[in-house]
Amino acid sequence: MTQAPAASGSSRRRHDREIISLAVPAFGALVAEPLFVMVDSAIVGHLGTPQLAGLGIAAALLMTAVSVFVFLAYATTAAVARRVGAGDLSSAIRQGMDGIWLALLLGIAVVAFMFPAAPWLVEAFGASGTAAPHAITYLRISSLGIPAMLVVMAATGVLRGLQDTRTPLYVAIGGFAANGALNLGLVYGAGLGIAGSAWGTVLAQAGMAAAYLVVVVRGARRHHASLRPDTAGIRASARAGMPLLIRTLSLRAVLLIATAVAARLSDTSIAAHQIILSLWSLTAFALDAIAIAGQAIIGRCLGAGDAEGARAACRRMVEWGIASGVGLGLLIVLARPVFIPLFTSDPAVKDTLLPALLVVALTQPVAGVVFVLDGVLMGAGDGPYLAGAMLVTLMVFTPAALLVPLLGGGLTALWWAMALMMAVRMATLWLRARSGRWIVTGPPVDRRSFT
């Protein structure tokens, strides 16, 4: 009787150390990504308003094109972690290489579409006559870096699956520093203007991809894993990622619908909405870091056949998610007098923003559970369920959001609809986690053996 609590406490401390060791570096790497755009904006902003407007349009299009392929990181993390848990490092790296080759192929396909379509895309985005030329220039040049960006995603997934989140942090810091230096040198030193900013970002992303490939290639040689492209393996990676692509697109649709509804309410509402959405995205980075730890830990436990370890890790990470959500919610409430003036001085925007911001603060514990369970089920390779659950969430959210302006609701009502969306996500994920159907032990099936 006296040993059980001690063992339980020891297990909790072990899980805590592992979660922290994976989540903290992951958070740093996640935060580094949006800093790329911030640096570009700060440098290009001094060229003039048309250039900055063009950058804003091009960056939005670029990030949308890249973010839909985030499954390259998520699916690769889960597959590699399972192989690691099974003790087969050679197959783990080989599976990671399949994801990297898939990323390269997808990147080339996106460039082939985006480069010639840049003028049409910019026009469809509603760019002004003065901003459009700058947007087209930036988008065309920066699109050349998309293959490197997707390779970075996939390689990050490989290293996360290998339980290494420190290397991605170091690479992200190096890429951030290189991006800033290259932008300054090419925009002002070489006098290339907005084209210099785009080339700086392309070169920084290419450098990051090269750094990742050096690490992965060294690991492959150490464990005698083949680096050659394998058609069956690439196809298997694509099939594994398809449900997560559907999940991501459904989530993007939720955010686009919310923004469209806010725009219909009033200029004040859309301004306040963008501020809240920026803050919401920032808190998401903190919670997503725990989810990334979940992907790596759960995948490894299931690959090792440790079902009880996977359950225990899931329970502990849910506790972390709730605690983090409570802390973030309190931080939002307490720090609002400090950060709101940083975004706006308009009294009308502040008045519109405050009650909606409190809704965001109240729902942070729910968001904590959602992010953690999302990561747990990704780590378990439960992509089809995640896709279906997110489609259900989208179907519930869409009418609720569209009713807001019809019923005379304001921004606060819209964010209550967002709270409903998060509650539905939590319910669907919680039911799946409670069912235990996600607990399927052993390494992933190697479909190459059937070809």
Side-chain angles (χ1 to χ4, degrees):
M1 292 294 290
T2 57
Q3 288 184 332
S8 176
S10 174
S11 176
R12 285 162 65 91
R13 287 192 296 273
R14 178 172 57 82
H15 285 309
D16 288 347
R17 286 194 298 269
E18 191 168 26
I19 292 167
I20 291 170
S21 69
L22 291 170
V24 172
F27 175 69
L30 287 169
V31 170
E33 285 301 317
L35 290 178
F36 271 71
V37 178
M38 289 179 65
V39 168
D40 288 4
S41 299
I43 293 172
V44 171
H46 292 285
L47 294 174
T49 300
Q51 288 89 338
L52 184 58
L55 171 65
I57 293 166
L61 288 166
L62 186 69
M63 287 300 100
T64 299
V66 172
S67 63
V68 296
F69 297 111
V70 72
F71 71 85
L72 289 166
Y74 294 161
T76 304
T77 297
V80 171
R82 274 185 177 265
R83 296 285 187 188
V84 170
D88 190 351
L89 288 177
S90 177
S91 293
I93 296 173
R94 173 64 260 183
Q95 191 127 26
M97 284 304 306
D98 292 337
I100 290 173
W101 280 112
L102 175 62
L104 185 60
L105 293 174
L106 288 173
I108 292 170
V110 174
V111 174
F113 165 75
M114 184 166 280
F115 191 90
W120 177 81
L121 291 170
V122 169
E123 182 182 355
F125 211 86
S128 67
T130 55
H134 302 294
I136 293 168
T137 297
Y138 190 92
L139 185 59
R140 275 186 163 162
I141 297 172
S142 60
S143 70
L144 299 176
I146 288 177
M149 294 180 191
L150 298 190
V151 167
V152 166
M153 273 190 184
T156 300
V158 175
L159 295 181
R160 288 173 182 171
L162 293 171
Q163 317 296 294
D164 177 9
T165 57
R166 291 184 180 274
T167 299
L169 173 61
Y170 300 147
V171 174
I173 292 172
F176 172 70
N179 181 64
L182 286 166
N183 268 260
L184 284 171
L186 294 174
V187 171
Y188 297 113
L192 295 179
I194 195 168
S197 177
W199 280 118
T201 300
V202 169
L203 292 172
Q205 291 288 347
M208 292 173 66
Y212 274 119
L213 289 176
V214 167
V215 174
V216 173
V217 168
R218 283 178 180 172
R221 288 176 175 168
R222 188 181 310 119
H223 298 287
H224 309 290
S226 174
L227 296 171
R228 291 177 299 177
D230 181 273
T231 304
I234 293 171
R235 283 201 305 266
S237 294
R239 283 194 294 270
M242 189 57 63
L244 294 181
L245 174 62
I246 295 170
R247 166 209 169 268
T248 301
L249 289 173
S250 300
L251 182 56
R252 287 281 162 187
V254 165
L255 299 177
L256 286 173
I257 290 168
T259 300
V261 170
R264 290 183 60 188
L265 294 174
S266 68
D267 288 348
T268 299
S269 293
I270 186 62
H273 177 74
Q274 287 304 114
I275 294 171
I276 295 173
L277 200 59
S278 299
L279 181 65
W280 192 70
S281 299
L282 183 61
T283 62
F285 285 131
L287 298 175
D288 202 26
I290 305 174
I292 288 169
Q295 293 169 31
I297 294 169
I298 295 298
R300 191 199 66 226
C301 287
L302 294 179
D306 186 6
E308 187 50 46
R311 288 191 187 92
C314 176
R315 285 193 297 269
R316 189 56 180 156
M317 281 184 286
V318 168
E319 292 170 358
W320 268 81
I322 294 171
S324 299
V326 170
L328 288 170
L330 289 173
L331 184 61
I332 290 171
V333 173
L334 295 175
R336 70 188 189 282
V338 177
F339 66 76
I340 290 178
L342 297 176
F343 289 96
T344 182
S345 58
D346 188 332
V349 173
K350 290 181 180 180
D351 291 341
T352 304
L353 184 153
L354 279 170
L357 192 63
L358 293 177
V359 176
V360 175
L362 286 171
T363 56
Q364 284 303 298
V366 174
V369 175
V370 167
F371 275 80
V372 165
L373 291 181
D374 210 35
V376 166
L377 296 183
M378 282 183 192
D382 206 8
Y385 182 84
L386 290 172
M390 197 62 228
L391 286 171
V392 169
T393 302
L394 177 61
M395 287 188 288
V396 172
F397 170 77
T398 300
L402 295 179
L403 280 172
V404 169
L406 293 176
L407 298 178
L411 188 65
T412 302
L414 175 60
W415 275 93
W416 276 118
M418 290 286 284
L420 171 65
M421 179 271 294
M422 294 301 290
V424 173
R425 287 189 73 191
M426 185 177 73
T428 56
L429 296 174
W430 184 265
L431 288 172
R432 185 66 168 181
R434 285 289 298 265
S435 74
R437 294 177 184 174
W438 56 277
I439 302 176
V440 179
T441 57
V445 176
D446 191 345
R447 289 175 171 82
R448 283 174 293 211
S449 62
F450 297 102
T451 58

